[in-house]
Amino acid sequence: MKQQITQLLEAAAQSLKADGFIPEDHAVTVSVDNTRDKSHGDLATNLALTLAKPCKSNPRVVAEKLIAAIPANDIISKVEIAGPGFINFYLASASSAAIVADILEQADKFGTNTSGENKKVQIEFVSANPTGPLHVGHGRGAAVGDSLCRVLAANGWNPTREFYYNDAGVQISNLALSVQSRVKGLTPDDDAWPEDGYRGEYIADVAKSYLAGDTIVADDRSVTGTANPDDLEAIQDFAVAYLRREQDLDLKAFDVQFDVYFLESSLYSEGLVEQTVQQLIANNFTYEKDGALWLKTTEFGDDKDRVMRKKDGNYTYFLPDVAYHKNKFERGFARVINEQGADHHSTVTRVRAGIQALQIGIPEGFPEYVLHQMVLVMRGGVEVKLSKRAGSYVTLRDLIDEVGRDATRYFLVSRRSDAQITFDIDLARSKNNDNPVYYIQYAHARVFGVLKKLAEQGHSYDQSLGLEALGSLNLDAERELMTQLRKYPDVVKNAGVSLEPASIATYLKDLAGLFHSYYNSNKMLIDDAQVRNARLVLSRAVAQVIANGLDLLGVSAPEQM
């Protein structure tokens, strides 16, 4: 409908150009948006305000001339000028109802577009160290990252999901020492326990499996425990594989899959880190000071230069990130997006600085970042801090086991990434309208519940008849539903632009609220076949959009509850 209104306004502008009111050489750009308040019509444009200056006229005068020049049509029922010169359009009942036919025809494709032109976009998310179970923060990253992939695909992009395994460095060494201590019969309460060792019960599970000689298959490797308590390298290989498998199982339970698993260790084994260092040195963006090698990140907007190779010869954590993103660029992605925790904020500038210092044509602002805030888990009004298995934090599996996958995914993606989330376990488990995911899913199930009752009450569902009769639906609640349905494609498009799937969760909650109110106030299974089928067709369109939106969030749309 926006496109049709846009075409009418373009025709009106062309007519005013022919009359000499709009300068012939002025390029007219028409923008049509949904109104925020139904009392202001269905759609609105600021075209008169943008044309006032080139036309050397008052915006309201321009608006009046535009309205008068709009070609005759059966789409618009009324037009009004608001404020300084906005033009508000009220759609005719038949044209407003046309959105329902579009939804039913396009089905699960409704709301999608091709703006991404099938360009390659890589989204890296979760990227947890394989040193323990995934915690709730990783869960939020998984929910947001996976939803971003779904939203970008709906906007015509070709997404690649990537998990970066930090399988090298101090934390992995601490993991190996922790498992070795358990293998030798020590516990975290013993004085000989490693100072920075991991204390969760899962470490005992790893040690037990290693001693039993189990074979662990994880993604790209198969490792068998040797049971040798003194072979630290064997213990490390086994522990990493074991915990990678555990994380994979957690993600599978969360319905999150990846296309690529990238190992940090490969950056070293394949020489990518050293190649990156040599390129930065050759480009004269490094210098030696106090026995360390520094990168001139201040030349790219950082507040101070950064050490990239320490006195002991080890690299600081951001240097392999630069090598990794050089690799991403060389793989040919049009865009690269990193979904990470807010604690990565300080690395954004230095990583981008290192990437620019390579001087290989990587665009500024590469990669893009979506940083999520922490999650506070509550039960009974009290913060939940510990997991028996992890020992120090709430795991993703804890939440899935407590409230289910759907509620966990919805709650973790339902607010903007830059906002902290309070995850109320009691609310997420509840089966009432206070629980937003239940509220939305119940709206979907209600539609199918009505359709199921048709035969039981001696009625039939005729979609063709319902579509023909849609123009006769004149209740305010019905118009509100159609208006809300018409907004969905824009919500999907805007979510792709802003990289904020939370807006889809908000939209679905609003749509469900409108439908519940309509359903509670108006009987569906009435004797009047025209009205009955029209209402059922409208309801079926609501269910389709709810299903489409929930799918973008990775949440199911049950037909009965």
Side-chain angles (χ1 to χ4, degrees):
M1 201 53 61
K2 283 186 179 181
Q3 184 176 1
Q4 291 170 285
I5 298 295
T6 297
Q7 291 171 347
L8 289 173
L9 286 168
E10 288 173 342
Q14 195 60 40
S15 175
L16 294 180
K17 275 190 175 184
D19 292 343
F21 182 72
I22 298 176
E24 182 63 34
D25 60 350
H26 180 72
V28 177
T29 301
V30 179
S31 175
V32 177
D33 297 300
N34 294 304
T35 58
R36 294 183 179 180
D37 186 339
K38 67 173 184 176
S39 65
H40 296 158
D42 299 301
L43 300 170
T45 183
N46 65 346
L47 180 59
L49 281 76
T50 64
L51 288 176
K53 186 174 181 180
C55 291
K56 298 179 181 180
S57 181
N58 182 284
R60 291 186 68 91
V61 172
V62 177
E64 290 172 357
K65 288 186 173 291
L66 282 170
I67 292 171
I70 290 176
N73 64 87
D74 56 4
I75 298 172
I76 303 168
S77 65
K78 185 172 68 172
V79 186
E80 290 181 346
I81 301 173
F86 292 100
I87 303 175
N88 294 338
F89 298 93
Y90 296 78
L91 300 178
S93 295
S95 59
S96 182
I99 191 66
V100 176
D102 290 342
I103 293 168
L104 296 182
E105 179 181 352
Q106 297 176 37
D108 59 356
K109 301 300 181 190
F110 178 75
T112 64
N113 63 72
T114 58
S115 59
E117 300 178 339
N118 203 38
K119 294 177 182 176
K120 291 172 60 179
V121 56
Q122 186 231 47
I123 302 93
E124 179 207 333
F125 58 106
V126 183
S127 296
N129 297 328
T131 54
L134 298 178
H135 56 61
V136 65
H138 295 134
R140 188 174 191 190
V144 173
D146 186 60
S147 291
L148 280 175
C149 294
R150 294 166 184 255
V151 168
L152 288 170
N155 281 283
W157 290 86
N158 181 10
T160 295
R161 295 162 163 84
E162 185 150 319
F163 190 124
Y164 177 70
Y165 269 117
N166 299 90
D167 64 336
V170 175
Q171 291 177 319
I172 298 299
S173 297
N174 289 335
L175 170 67
L177 290 172
S178 302
V179 175
Q180 184 183 49
S181 297
R182 281 286 193 177
V183 167
K184 292 184 175 182
L186 298 177
T187 71
D189 296 327
D190 292 321
D191 293 338
W193 189 262
E195 183 179 353
D196 296 319
Y198 295 96
R199 297 172 173 269
E201 283 299 311
Y202 67 93
I203 296 295
D205 295 337
V206 178
K208 182 179 179 181
S209 184
Y210 175 77
L211 286 170
D214 292 341
T215 297
I216 304 299
V217 178
D219 188 39
D220 63 346
R221 65 184 64 186
S222 175
V223 181
T224 299
T226 67
N228 184 347
D230 298 315
D231 191 342
L232 189 60
E233 183 177 349
I235 291 174
Q236 177 172 306
D237 288 344
F238 184 86
V240 168
Y242 186 102
L243 290 170
R244 283 182 60 184
R245 184 188 66 179
E246 289 294 295
Q247 291 182 357
D248 288 346
L249 292 173
D250 288 347
L251 292 169
K252 184 176 292 185
F254 209 41
D255 193 26
V256 173
Q257 299 177 339
F258 288 88
D259 303 301
V260 177
Y261 289 94
F262 193 100
L263 303 181
E264 180 187 4
S265 58
S266 70
L267 295 172
Y268 297 93
S269 63
E270 297 177 15
L272 301 181
V273 170
E274 190 57 34
Q275 291 171 21
T276 299
V277 172
Q278 293 307 314
Q279 194 160 358
L280 293 172
I281 293 173
N283 291 347
N284 295 316
F285 285 113
T286 65
Y287 60 90
E288 297 273 356
K289 178 183 175 184
D290 300 327
L293 183 65
W294 295 67
L295 182 65
K296 300 176 184 178
T297 55
T298 51
E299 296 196 18
F300 301 93
D302 201 359
D303 59 343
K304 61 180 180 181
D305 291 340
R306 306 288 176 173
V307 173
M308 65 182 203
R309 187 171 62 209
K310 297 180 285 188
K311 294 179 183 179
D312 62 8
N314 290 319
Y315 294 112
T316 54
Y317 62 90
F318 87 90
L319 196 279
D321 278 354
V322 175
Y324 176 41
H325 285 88
K326 175 176 179 287
N327 174 272
K328 289 184 180 183
F329 177 73
E330 290 172 343
R331 279 187 269 160
F333 293 108
R335 296 173 69 185
V336 166
I337 301 167
N338 291 349
E339 202 295 329
Q340 298 172 317
D343 56 331
H344 287 79
H345 182 271
S346 61
T347 69
V348 173
T349 301
R350 65 196 69 169
V351 170
R352 284 177 171 169
I355 291 169
Q356 291 304 306
L358 292 171
Q359 296 186 325
I360 57 174
I362 299 178
E364 291 186 21
F366 179 102
E368 301 170 56
Y369 284 88
V370 174
L371 302 179
H372 66 259
Q373 288 291 338
M374 64 179 291
V375 181
L376 182 68
V377 182
M378 305 286 289
R379 182 195 285 114
V382 178
E383 182 181 356
V384 180
K385 295 183 178 181
L386 305 177
S387 163
K388 180 178 179 182
R389 181 160 172 262
S392 59
Y393 54 83
V394 179
T395 71
L396 173 59
R397 185 65 68 89
D398 290 334
L399 284 185
I400 296 173
D401 290 345
E402 283 263 7
V403 306
R405 186 192 71 198
D406 284 345
T408 303
R409 287 195 63 138
Y410 181 90
F411 273 69
L412 290 176
V413 80
S414 61
R415 295 197 65 192
R416 287 180 55 90
S417 300
D418 58 7
Q420 182 175 319
I421 283 181
T422 297
F423 193 113
D424 188 331
I425 289 177
D426 298 322
L427 177 61
R429 292 185 63 180
S430 64
K431 304 295 183 184
N432 57 51
N433 291 341
D434 292 330
N435 180 349
V437 66
Y438 177 87
Y439 190 62
I440 296 166
Q441 289 179 319
Y442 184 43
H444 183 269
R446 263 186 151 176
V447 174
F448 285 89
V450 172
L451 293 172
K452 187 176 180 181
K453 291 179 182 177
L454 275 172
E456 297 174 6
Q457 298 190 15
H459 296 299
S460 61
Y461 172 52
D462 187 324
Q463 182 169 300
S464 298
L465 178 60
L467 288 171
E468 292 175 5
L470 276 172
S472 64
L473 295 182
N474 53 19
L475 296 176
D476 286 344
E478 291 160 343
R479 286 186 60 84
E480 285 182 40
L481 276 172
M482 293 178 198
T483 298
Q484 184 73 0
L485 292 173
R486 192 171 56 247
K487 293 178 181 178
Y488 180 69
D490 283 341
V491 172
V492 175
K493 186 174 183 179
N494 292 336
V497 171
S498 65
L499 302 180
E500 277 295 351
S503 59
I504 294 172
T506 300
Y507 168 86
L508 292 175
K509 186 178 178 182
D510 292 342
L511 176 60
L514 290 174
F515 179 75
H516 283 307
S517 178
Y518 173 61
Y519 182 94
N520 292 335
S521 301
N522 299 279
K523 191 174 181 181
M524 297 285 161
L525 304 183
I526 57 177
D527 292 332
D528 187 321
Q530 278 195 320
V531 176
R532 180 181 72 246
N533 282 289
R535 288 179 176 178
L536 290 174
V537 163
L538 173 58
S539 300
R540 188 65 187 81
V542 169
Q544 183 67 64
V545 171
I546 289 176
N548 292 1
L550 287 175
D551 183 66
L552 295 183
L553 304 181
V555 178
S556 69
E559 295 185 4
Q560 61 181 16
M561 294 177 68

